[in-house]
Amino acid sequence: TMAIQHQLTDVRSKYLESGDVPGVMFSYLDDITVCADLGTLTSVFPIMKQALAEVGFEVSLEKTTLVTFNTDVDNEHEAAAGLGIAIEEGSTELLGSVLYRDCQSAVDYLDQLDDEWIRQARNLVKYTEADEPYRLQVALRILRQSFSAKPGYISRCLPPHLTKQPLEEFNQELLVELLSHIARVDYARTLGGLH
């Protein structure tokens, strides 16, 4: 990690902070984020890859994404293809919250997060039916997962008119999973009785 940070500091000072259009780079362990205009980004990315390769660190192109908040994104798509990386338009997750261009972009991204959270819960639910002696422990793990920091943090970082519907849907789907697989009740009948 120290070797990586040394190389990143060198790239930052030579190519980002001293340019005509300065950029910003920050990192945590081996997760690196560069904020810059498209021209700076496309020139700095290969330099950064080479600098990291010199200390034995390979940048994973599969996990690298170019994020743009522009509405006309032809140049960004061309740049991402040239660098061999994916592109996200309009919104992205950063430090547990969501950065977004417009309300619809934020809602679309929250819907994706909802799907991810439910998928995680379902993966845990599968184990409740595998070994009967461990059902209680697994059930508790699912409950802890359902009250993870992510939904709570997002509800504090974004305005309520954006988070209300996605978080309500997540809560409803999670309730269905818990009732069907842990309590082993007919969730449709039970939910009907709760309303």
Side-chain angles (χ1 to χ4, degrees):
T1 302
M2 295 298 291
I4 291 172
Q5 293 306 321
H6 174 75
Q7 296 295 85
L8 292 178
T9 299
D10 192 47
V11 171
R12 185 185 299 117
S13 61
K14 285 183 182 176
Y15 301 102
L16 285 172
E17 295 173 350
S18 61
D20 293 334
V21 183
V24 177
M25 176 192 296
F26 52 95
S27 61
Y28 177 73
L29 299 177
D30 62 348
D31 288 332
I32 304 163
T33 301
V34 179
C35 302
D37 73 308
L38 189 60
T40 302
L41 185 66
T42 52
S43 62
V44 167
F45 186 70
I47 294 167
M48 183 181 70
K49 276 179 59 182
Q50 177 60 38
L52 294 173
E54 290 171 8
V55 291
F57 184 83
E58 183 180 352
V59 174
S60 171
L61 297 180
E62 296 80 22
K63 296 180 179 178
T64 304
T65 306
L66 186 152
V67 179
T68 179
F69 298 100
N70 293 331
T71 50
D72 182 8
V73 294
D74 290 343
N75 292 336
E76 284 83 349
H77 276 276
E78 186 179 327
L83 296 172
I85 60 177
I87 184 167
E88 282 184 13
E89 300 176 33
S91 60
T92 191
E93 188 176 3
L94 181 64
L95 301 176
S97 187
V98 180
L99 300 179
Y100 57 95
R101 174 181 61 216
D102 52 50
C103 291
Q104 189 56 51
S105 298
V107 169
D108 291 345
Y109 201 88
L110 287 172
D111 285 343
Q112 291 176 30
L113 288 181
D114 260 2
D115 293 342
E116 178 188 324
W117 295 334
I118 289 298
R119 191 164 51 251
Q120 291 170 356
R122 283 186 181 137
N123 285 338
L124 288 172
V125 161
K126 288 176 187 175
Y127 296 104
T128 63
E129 297 169 350
D131 286 310
E132 199 67 26
Y134 298 105
R135 281 191 70 236
L136 181 58
Q137 289 91 332
V138 175
L140 290 173
R141 282 188 64 202
I142 293 170
L143 285 170
R144 288 192 186 113
Q145 181 73 23
S146 70
F147 294 107
S148 70
K150 284 185 176 183
Y153 184 66
I154 281 180
S155 70
R156 294 192 301 274
C157 292
L158 296 177
H161 73 278
L162 294 179
T163 59
K164 185 176 186 295
Q165 181 180 345
L167 290 179
E168 281 180 350
E169 288 173 0
F170 169 68
N171 184 62
Q172 185 74 7
E173 285 201 50
L174 191 67
L175 187 58
V176 167
E177 292 295 324
L178 294 174
L179 287 173
S180 340
H181 295 280
I182 296 176
R184 298 193 179 166
V185 298
D186 181 342
Y187 69 83
R189 189 181 67 234
T190 305
L191 288 179
L194 292 175
H195 291 300

